[in-house]
Protein backbone atom coordinates (compact mmCIF):
# COMPACT_ATOMS: atom_id res chain seq x y z
CA UNK A 1 0.00 0.00 0.00
CA UNK A 2 1.10 3.55 -0.61
CA UNK A 3 0.64 6.76 1.27
CA UNK A 4 0.53 10.33 0.06
CA UNK A 5 3.02 12.69 1.65
CA UNK A 6 0.98 15.74 0.63
CA UNK A 7 -1.84 14.73 2.98
CA UNK A 8 -0.20 13.82 6.29
CA UNK A 9 -3.51 13.60 8.16
CA UNK A 10 -4.61 10.75 5.88
CA UNK A 11 -1.19 9.13 5.45
CA UNK A 12 -0.87 8.60 9.21
CA UNK A 13 -4.09 6.60 9.41
CA UNK A 14 -4.09 2.82 9.23
CA UNK A 15 -4.95 1.59 5.73
CA UNK A 16 -8.51 0.53 6.55
CA UNK A 17 -9.37 3.79 8.33
CA UNK A 18 -7.89 5.85 5.51
CA UNK A 19 -9.93 3.90 2.94
CA UNK A 20 -13.09 4.32 5.01
CA UNK A 21 -12.55 8.06 5.38
CA UNK A 22 -12.04 8.46 1.65
CA UNK A 23 -15.09 6.32 0.82
CA UNK A 24 -17.21 8.67 2.94
CA UNK A 25 -15.69 11.72 1.21
CA UNK A 26 -16.34 10.16 -2.18
CA UNK A 27 -19.98 9.48 -1.33
CA UNK A 28 -20.39 13.09 -0.18
CA UNK A 29 -18.71 14.42 -3.34
CA UNK A 30 -21.12 12.33 -5.42
CA UNK A 31 -24.08 13.80 -3.55
CA UNK A 32 -22.86 17.38 -4.07
CA UNK A 33 -22.09 16.96 -7.76
CA UNK A 34 -25.28 15.04 -8.55
CA UNK A 35 -27.30 17.82 -6.91
CA UNK A 36 -25.36 20.39 -8.95
CA UNK A 37 -26.19 18.48 -12.13
CA UNK A 38 -29.88 18.27 -11.24
CA UNK A 39 -29.90 22.03 -10.63
CA UNK A 40 -28.32 22.65 -14.04
CA UNK A 41 -25.08 24.05 -12.58
CA UNK A 42 -23.01 21.35 -14.31
CA UNK A 43 -23.93 19.53 -17.48
CA UNK A 44 -22.81 15.97 -16.77
CA UNK A 45 -21.88 13.79 -13.81
CA UNK A 46 -21.93 10.04 -13.26
CA UNK A 47 -21.99 8.88 -9.66
CA UNK A 48 -20.03 5.94 -8.32
CA UNK A 49 -22.37 5.23 -5.41
CA UNK A 50 -21.91 1.65 -4.27
CA UNK A 51 -18.50 1.34 -5.95
CA UNK A 52 -16.44 3.27 -3.40
CA UNK A 53 -14.65 0.23 -1.95
CA UNK A 54 -13.58 -0.93 -5.40
CA UNK A 55 -11.75 2.37 -5.93
CA UNK A 56 -9.96 2.32 -2.60
CA UNK A 57 -9.04 -1.35 -2.80
CA UNK A 58 -7.59 -1.08 -6.29
CA UNK A 59 -5.82 2.21 -5.64
CA UNK A 60 -4.28 1.00 -2.38
CA UNK A 61 -2.65 -1.91 -4.21
CA UNK A 62 -0.87 0.42 -6.66
CA UNK A 63 2.43 2.20 -6.19
CA UNK A 64 2.52 5.98 -6.57
CA UNK A 65 4.50 5.69 -9.80
CA UNK A 66 1.95 3.29 -11.37
CA UNK A 67 -0.07 4.94 -14.13
CA UNK A 68 -3.84 5.19 -13.80
CA UNK A 69 -6.13 5.80 -16.77
CA UNK A 70 -9.30 6.78 -14.97
CA UNK A 71 -12.71 7.25 -16.52
CA UNK A 72 -16.19 8.08 -15.30
CA UNK A 73 -16.94 6.84 -11.81
CA UNK A 74 -13.29 6.40 -10.84
CA UNK A 75 -12.84 9.53 -8.75
CA UNK A 76 -11.89 7.43 -5.74
CA UNK A 77 -8.57 6.46 -7.28
CA UNK A 78 -7.73 10.14 -7.66
CA UNK A 79 -8.74 10.80 -4.07
CA UNK A 80 -6.51 7.95 -2.88
CA UNK A 81 -3.64 9.55 -4.80
CA UNK A 82 -4.20 12.80 -2.90
CA UNK A 83 -6.14 14.86 -5.42
CA UNK A 84 -8.37 17.36 -3.64
CA UNK A 85 -12.10 17.71 -4.27
CA UNK A 86 -11.54 21.15 -5.83
CA UNK A 87 -9.08 19.70 -8.34
CA UNK A 88 -11.48 16.94 -9.37
CA UNK A 89 -14.29 19.38 -9.98
Amino acid sequence: ATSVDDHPEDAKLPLVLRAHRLMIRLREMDRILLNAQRQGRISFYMTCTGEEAIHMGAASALELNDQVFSQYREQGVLMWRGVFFEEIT
Side-chain angles (χ1 to χ4, degrees):
T2 60
S3 63
V4 179
D5 294 332
D6 294 342
H7 302 281
E9 71 282 353
D10 283 345
K12 292 179 185 175
L13 292 174
L15 181 69
V16 173
L17 292 178
R18 180 173 178 224
H20 186 257
R21 176 181 279 184
L22 290 174
M23 285 188 284
I24 292 169
R25 287 182 188 168
L26 181 56
R27 176 79 53 109
E28 182 65 15
M29 185 182 82
D30 266 357
R31 187 188 63 76
I32 291 167
L33 292 176
L34 181 61
N35 285 338
Q37 179 191 7
R38 288 179 176 170
Q39 295 169 9
R41 297 184 356 219
I42 60 174
S43 62
F44 184 76
Y45 185 74
M46 293 183 71
T47 65
C48 56
T49 304
E51 301 174 0
E52 298 91 349
I54 296 168
H55 299 201
M56 301 312 156
S60 68
L62 298 173
E63 298 296 327
L64 286 176
N65 61 347
D66 288 339
Q67 292 185 353
V68 174
F69 298 98
S70 62
Q71 301 179 50
Y72 302 118
R73 299 184 204 166
E74 295 177 351
Q75 305 89 319
V77 175
L78 298 175
M79 292 177 114
W80 185 268
R81 291 275 176 108
V83 177
F84 287 107
F85 174 79
E86 294 82 9
E87 296 173 290
I88 294 172
T89 59

